[in-house]
Amino acid sequence: MKTIIVTGSNTGIGKEAARILAADGHRVLMLSRDSDKSRRAADEIRAATGNDEVRLFPVDLAEKSSIRAVVDRLRAEFSAIDVLVNNAGVYRTKRGVSGDGIELTFAVNYLATFMLSELLLDRLRAARAGRIVNVISALYTDGVIDFDNLMLEQGYKAGRAYANAKLATALYTVELAQRVEQDGVTVNALHPGVLATDVFREYPDALMWAAKLFLEKPAAGGERIARLAVADDVAGVTGAYVYKEEVREFEIPAATRQKTEQLLQVSRALTGL
C-alpha cells in the first residue's frame, strides 16, 4: 500500500485516478474543496472500491493559508508520502484574484503545485522512492513568462493564463527533478490528453455537451495519472514530459529556461517559502 495524494480529486480525471489507485489497494488522500461534492466523491470511491483508506483533506488551493493548514495536517499524520499528484486546475474565462491578491489561474495551476511540492519534500524523500506527478497540458508550449505582467493585469485571456501557468509548472518540474534526483524522488509532468472534464466549466453548456461527445473520457486521463504514479516501468523516469504514455523531452526555448531561477525567487516571495 502506497500513500498517495491526489489534488482536485472530487471530479474529472483526478477522481478517476483516485478511484483507480484506491481499487489497487493504495491509501488515497483526496485534497479537494470542503464541499458536499468532495464528500460525495470520497464516499463513492470508498463504496466502489471497498477501500476504507480513502480520505478527504479539505483545502482551498487558491489560498496560501489553506495549503499550509492542510500540509500541517498531513505532516502530523504521515511520516512518509509515496506520491504527490498535483492535478487540480482551473480555466477562468474572466480574471479573478485570490484572497492573497494572486491571479487565480496562476495560484491554483502553478503556485499550489509549488507549495505542496516544497512543503512535502521531506515526506517524499522519506518514502525513499517518492514520486511527484504534475498534470500539465500540451498548451504549455504557448505560454510565456513575463515578470512585468505575471498576474496578467493587462491583456487577460483565459487561454493565455492557462498556458502561462502550465509553462511555469513545466519549468518547475525540470528544476525540481534535478534538485531532488539524488534523494530518490522523481518529478515528471503529464499531459493526460484532451479530455471531457469540467475544468472548462465556465463555458456555455452547449459547448460542454459537444466536448463530452468528441473528447476522450476522464477515465483515460485517470489511468495515465495512475500509471505514472505507481507503475514499475516508469519508476526511473524523472524530469520528463509524458504525453499520455509517451515519454518526451520538454519543448522549452533556452531563453525561457533561463527564467527558471527568477521564477523560483518570485514563487518563494509570493508563497512566503
Side-chain angles (χ1 to χ4, degrees), residues 252-264:
I252 304 174
T256 301
R257 286 180 183 262
Q258 291 172 1
K259 296 182 179 182
T260 300
E261 184 55 40
Q262 187 176 355
L263 175 65
L264 291 177

Side-chain angles (χ1 to χ4, degrees), residues 2 16 91 131 136 143 166 211:
K2 295 183 182 296
E16 290 295 333
Y91 189 98
R131 301 188 193 187
I136 63 168
K166 295 304 183 182

Side-chain angles (χ1 to χ4, degrees), residues 102-120:
I102 299 171
E103 191 275 313
L104 283 170
T105 306
F106 192 76
V108 175
N109 293 18
Y110 167 62
L111 281 181
T113 291
F114 175 81
M115 285 193 72
L116 288 171
S117 300
E118 294 292 322
L119 292 171
L120 292 171

Side-chain angles (χ1 to χ4, degrees), residues 32-246:
S32 298
R33 284 185 172 275
D34 187 4
S35 66
D36 290 340
K37 181 178 182 180
S38 296
R39 286 182 281 274
R40 284 197 302 272
D43 289 342
E44 289 167 7
I45 293 171
R46 281 191 289 266
T49 63
N51 186 342
D52 290 333
E53 291 291 336
V54 176
R55 297 179 53 192
L56 174 64
F57 285 76
V59 62
D60 182 349
L61 292 173
E63 303 295 336
K64 292 184 293 186
S65 60
S66 184
I67 293 173
R68 286 184 178 276
V70 78
V71 165
D72 286 346
R73 284 190 61 198
L74 292 167
R75 290 175 59 81
E77 190 159 347
F78 302 101
S79 59
I81 292 170
D82 295 280
V83 186
L84 168 62
V85 177
N86 289 305
N87 162 74
V90 296
Y91 189 98
R92 295 183 58 87
T93 57
K94 295 182 180 179
R95 185 179 184 275
V97 296
S98 70
D100 301 309
I102 299 171
E103 191 275 313
L104 283 170
T105 306
F106 192 76
V108 175
N109 293 18
Y110 167 62
L111 281 181
T113 291
F114 175 81
M115 285 193 72
L116 288 171
S117 300
E118 294 292 322
L119 292 171
L120 292 171
L121 264 183
D122 64 332
R123 296 303 193 259
L124 288 153
R125 289 189 181 104
R128 300 197 176 183
R131 301 188 193 187
I132 298 175
V133 178
N134 295 328
V135 178
I136 63 168
S137 163
L139 293 173
Y140 82 90
T141 57
D142 295 333
V144 297
I145 303 297
D146 180 0
F147 294 109
D148 293 326
N149 192 29
L150 198 60
M151 298 294 114
L152 288 179
E153 293 166 309
Q154 292 85 40
Y156 179 88
K157 292 183 180 179
R160 179 181 299 173
Y162 189 79
N164 291 359
K166 295 304 183 182
L167 174 58
T169 304
L171 289 172
Y172 177 59
T173 297
V174 174
E175 186 278 334
L176 183 60
Q178 294 171 346
R179 187 172 10 127
V180 301
E181 187 171 12
Q182 300 305 313
D183 300 328
V185 178
T186 63
V187 190
N188 295 291
L190 170 69
H191 168 70
V194 182
L195 304 153
T197 72
D198 66 353
V199 69
F200 305 113
R201 53 187 170 271
E202 293 189 5
Y203 278 89
D205 291 343
L207 186 60
M208 291 297 296
W209 178 81
K212 290 179 180 180
L213 285 179
F214 296 106
L215 301 182
E216 284 190 279
K217 304 300 183 187
E223 290 168 0
R224 291 161 188 156
I225 289 173
R227 174 178 175 271
L228 195 53
V230 298
D232 291 338
D233 65 325
V234 290
V237 176
T238 192
Y241 169 53
V242 182
Y243 185 93
K244 296 186 178 180
E245 295 186 6
E246 178 186 351

